[in-house]
């Protein structure tokens, strides 16, 4: 294609793009190089009649501009509740100003002190890039970040060193000492490995015989340049397996490592306290283990950081489901009380009970509460050598120490991971990003495939062909990935679906329609996350269903102990639920404190 090409205007015209993309000029929303022609999805269905390209730009002329393009929305979407009182025109102008600031600042980032500095007296607070996280536009700061990554890319080889990985060593070493087996024996060994993995337990001492552990042990022999390659950082040879790694073996090793990190074969990650208790949000997410502090663990955390950096540099996402507070710390942000509640919903209420308890001194001593705090992994940590039990006099000190411990219990592990990331990507620049933005760079956007959700859906009190169910799925189709993730959190306490139907392990997504809500349009949906259950009123139209469902997923994130979501406009409680799930009504029903105000305001 020439630099300026005239095309015949056609609705069926397809435009492909490829090249370095260091300025984001290829139109796919990233700054990743594209080696082979890729369809420009944004131009599908457009009547394109001319394209032009240069070293840092691509243009396409179209005569089929959507009628809605460039138009402002009629009103502020309900999820942006803090902006409801600001005129749309003012919001538009503010957004333009933010874009302008980003366009001016982001290209100049290398000229600034990334670590921040004190004021002239040397006593004031440091001012770093962290203060700009919520100001700079995502595309601008990611483009600046990618430019630094591209400038440090090593492109003189196709892959890094060849690494031998043994996935069957744990059970085959005792056979004859040679490591050579007949095909049928190797097959049986692999089955035994799978069975042992399903039972849990570390793969060797401290997980060193896992693929992750083996790779970690070999990282010391990697040259710095090997970690700066654009694609395969290593080439894999699986011992006893006929794998010729042309990219598939490398991807397999990465997938294996991610699985091992999250299935108990390595000691680095633990499920969130909410996950252990099967309550609250982030049940399917992981935290760094605060107990993993030995030198071998620190080295493993460094290698984990290398993996995160490689994912960012190569654009190959990792399938890691770390909780958002972990990503926040990796981006250089400090944890807050709200972050603790996201992963351990019972911790803060427990502290508040101790702080606000009106018991007498004698009653407090009778409770005999130890001066310890449960860590994220469930271990009791002694907070002071001075006190052994909580008393009326020292309870304020206990609350302070307990809070401080939980806010900083992962600092050592986070520092090791960031040290590993620094070998691959410019870690100081991560202070430009939020935890969610960093997660997206490492793991990609979480995809909620509706066809998979539909395949495990069952219905109570309604036929699958009923208009209400059709409206529900049409609304779900219209949701963005972020909204689908919020919906899944609302209805199941998770942010991502299992990868396959088999991984649901017989768990159905239940949609139940009840007639107890009267009038139905005055009520929000209810969810019971323990049972993957959504209860819908029999709404009158699709528009009402969409409005109520959107409000629920954005704002109803706490346990509905006050029955706000079940109170009609008149203030009368809804009729008793006669369904067979009534005994579980108070287990995990979600609503927010703002629900009552919302309902009575309509």
């Amino acid at each position: 294609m020439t630099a300026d090409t005239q095309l015949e205007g056609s609705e069926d015209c397809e435009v492909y793009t490829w090249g370095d993309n260091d300025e984001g000029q290829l139109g796919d929303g990233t700054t990743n190089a594209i080696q082979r022609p890729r369809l420009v999805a944004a131009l599908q269905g457009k009547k394109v009649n001319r394209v032009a390209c240069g070293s840092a730009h691509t243009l396409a002329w179209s005569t089929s501009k959507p009628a809605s393009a460039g138009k402002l929305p009629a009103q502020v979407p309900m999820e942006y509740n803090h902006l409801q009182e600001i005129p749309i025109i003012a919001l538009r102008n503010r957004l333009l100003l933010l874009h302008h600031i980003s366009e001016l600042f982001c290209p100049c980032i290398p000229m600034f002190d990334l670590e921040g500095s004190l004021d002239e007296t040397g006593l004031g607070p440091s001012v770093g890039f962290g203060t700009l996280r919520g100001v700079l536009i995502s595309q601008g700061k990611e483009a600046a970040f990618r430019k630094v990554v591209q400038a440090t890319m090593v492109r003189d080889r196709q892959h890094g060193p060849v690494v031998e990985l043994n996935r069957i060593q744990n059970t085959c070493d005792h056979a004859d000492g040679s490591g050579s087996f007949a095909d049928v024996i190797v097959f049986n060994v692999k089955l035994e490995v799978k069975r042992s993995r399903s039972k849990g337990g570390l793969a060797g001492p401290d997980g060193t015989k896992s693929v992750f552990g083996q790779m970690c042990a070999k990282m010391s022999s990697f040259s710095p340049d090997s970690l700066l390659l654009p694609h395969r950082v290593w080439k894999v040879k699986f011992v006893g397996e006929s794998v010729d790694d042309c990219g598939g073996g490398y991807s397999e090793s990465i997938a294996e490592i991610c699985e091992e990190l999250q299935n108990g074969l390595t000691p680095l990650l633990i499920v969130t306290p909410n996950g252990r208790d099967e309550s609250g949000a982030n049940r399917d997410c992981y935290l760094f283990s605060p107990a993993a502090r030995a030198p071998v663990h620190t080295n493993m955390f460094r290698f984990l950081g290398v993996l995160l950096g490689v994912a960012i540099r190569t654009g190959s996402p990792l399938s890691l489901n770390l909780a958002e507070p972990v990503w926040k710390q990796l981006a250089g942000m400090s944890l807050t009380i709200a972050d603790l509640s996201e992963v351990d919903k019972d911790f803060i209420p427990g502290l508040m009970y101790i702080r606000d308890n009106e018991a007498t001194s004698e009653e407090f001593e009778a409770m005999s509460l130890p001066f310890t705090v449960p860590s994220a992994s469930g271990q009791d940590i002694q907070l002071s050598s001075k006190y052994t039990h909580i008393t009326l006099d020292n309870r304020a000190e206990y609350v302070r120490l307990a809070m401080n411990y939980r806010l900083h219990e992962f600092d050592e592990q986070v520092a090791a991971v960031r040290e590993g990331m620094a070998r691959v990507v410019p870690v100081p620049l991560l202070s430009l990003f939020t935890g969610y933005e960093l997660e997206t760079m490492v793991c990609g956007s979480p995809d909620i495939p509706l066809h998979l959700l539909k395949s495990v859906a069952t219905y109570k009190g309604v036929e699958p062909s009923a208009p209400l169910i059709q409206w529900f799925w049409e609304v779900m189709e219209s949701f963005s990935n972020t909204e689908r993730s919020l919906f899944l959190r609302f209805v199941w306490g998770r942010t991502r679906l299992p990868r396959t139907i088999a991984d649901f392990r017989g768990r159905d997504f239940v949609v139940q329609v009840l007639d107890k809500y009267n009038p139905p349009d005055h009520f929000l949906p209810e969810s019971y996350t323990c049972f993957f259950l959504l209860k819908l009123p029999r709404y009158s139209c699709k528009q009402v269903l969409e409005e109520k469902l959107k409000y629920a997923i954005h704002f109803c994130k706490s346990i509905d102990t006050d029955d706000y979501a079940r109170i009609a406009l008149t203030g009368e409680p809804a009729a008793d639920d006669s369904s067979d799930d009534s005994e579980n009504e108070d287990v995990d029903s979600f609503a927010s404190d703002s629900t009552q105000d919302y309902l009575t305001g309509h």
Side-chain angles (χ1 to χ4, degrees), residues 278 284 447-458 473 487-488 491-510 529-533:
E278 277 297 323
D284 54 344
D447 181 28
I448 309 296
L450 289 185
H451 67 87
L452 187 59
L453 190 60
K454 285 183 179 180
S455 66
V456 297
T458 58
W473 288 116
F487 169 79
L488 199 60
V491 79
W492 204 13
R494 303 168 184 260
T495 56
R496 302 185 187 187
L497 282 176
R499 289 175 296 175
T500 65
I501 294 179
D503 291 332
F504 278 87
R505 299 178 182 177
R507 170 75 72 176
D508 287 339
F509 165 47
V510 182
T529 58
C530 277
F531 309 100
F532 203 8
L533 171 65

Side-chain angles (χ1 to χ4, degrees), residues 47 86 127 223 330 359 400 412 421 424 438 470 493 503 582:
K47 189 176 181 181
I86 303 176
V127 180
S223 66
L330 292 177
R400 184 186 68 81
E412 187 176 326
M421 294 176 71
V424 191
L438 177 58
Q470 302 305 311
D503 291 332
S582 60

Side-chain angles (χ1 to χ4, degrees), residues 122-245:
L123 301 175
S126 62
V127 180
F129 275 9
T131 57
L132 299 176
R133 280 191 177 95
V135 176
L136 299 177
I137 303 300
S138 297
Q139 295 92 326
K141 55 190 179 184
E142 184 168 352
F145 182 88
R146 292 291 181 187
K147 196 166 186 177
V148 176
V149 171
Q150 292 289 336
T152 57
M153 200 76 80
V154 174
R155 303 180 184 275
D156 61 349
R157 67 196 92 157
Q158 291 185 341
H159 58 77
V162 178
V163 176
E164 285 193 353
L165 298 175
N166 192 341
R167 296 198 284 186
I168 57 178
Q169 62 177 341
N170 293 337
T171 55
C172 69
D173 288 345
H174 67 275
D176 61 358
S178 66
S180 59
F181 293 80
D183 290 343
V184 63
I185 297 179
V186 170
F187 177 72
N188 288 334
V189 166
K190 289 182 180 180
L191 289 180
E192 188 170 344
V193 170
K194 288 185 177 182
R195 284 196 294 269
S196 66
R197 287 181 176 180
S198 67
K199 297 174 184 177
L202 297 177
D206 291 306
T208 52
K209 288 194 173 184
S210 63
V211 173
F212 176 89
Q214 294 176 64
M215 276 301 311
C216 182
K218 298 176 188 297
M219 283 306 297
S220 59
S221 61
F222 275 56
S223 66
D225 285 355
S226 299
L227 300 178
L228 304 181
L229 295 172
H231 300 296
R232 280 187 290 167
V233 178
W234 59 80
K235 183 175 181 178
V236 176
K237 180 180 179 182
F238 288 118
V239 176
E241 304 176 60
S242 58
V243 175
D244 186 10
D245 182 14

Side-chain angles (χ1 to χ4, degrees), residues 8 14-15 70 119 127 171 204 253 291 333 382 442 448 450 503 556 564:
E8 179 183 353
E14 293 183 340
V15 180
D119 61 17
V127 180
T171 55
S253 68
M333 303 173 71
Q382 186 68 37
V442 174
I448 309 296
L450 289 185
D503 291 332
C556 300
Y564 287 155

Side-chain angles (χ1 to χ4, degrees), residues 51-170:
V51 296
C53 57
S55 60
H57 75 272
T58 55
L59 298 173
W61 286 263
S62 171
T63 58
S64 58
K65 181 180 178 181
S68 60
K71 288 188 177 182
L72 295 175
Q75 60 186 17
V76 177
M78 70 167 67
E79 57 265 34
Y80 303 106
N81 56 315
H82 293 298
L83 305 178
Q84 293 292 335
E85 304 302 322
I86 303 176
I88 289 287
I89 296 297
L91 291 175
R92 191 273 310 270
N93 293 340
R94 292 184 184 188
L95 182 60
L96 289 175
L97 180 59
L98 288 176
H99 275 277
H100 185 56
I101 292 173
S102 295
E103 290 171 358
L104 292 175
F105 180 80
C106 290
C108 304
I109 284 175
M111 300 174 60
F112 291 87
D113 178 10
L114 303 183
E115 302 295 341
S117 59
L118 300 177
D119 61 17
E120 294 179 359
T121 65
L123 301 175
S126 62
V127 180
F129 275 9
T131 57
L132 299 176
R133 280 191 177 95
V135 176
L136 299 177
I137 303 300
S138 297
Q139 295 92 326
K141 55 190 179 184
E142 184 168 352
F145 182 88
R146 292 291 181 187
K147 196 166 186 177
V148 176
V149 171
Q150 292 289 336
T152 57
M153 200 76 80
V154 174
R155 303 180 184 275
D156 61 349
R157 67 196 92 157
Q158 291 185 341
H159 58 77
V162 178
V163 176
E164 285 193 353
L165 298 175
N166 192 341
R167 296 198 284 186
I168 57 178
Q169 62 177 341
N170 293 337

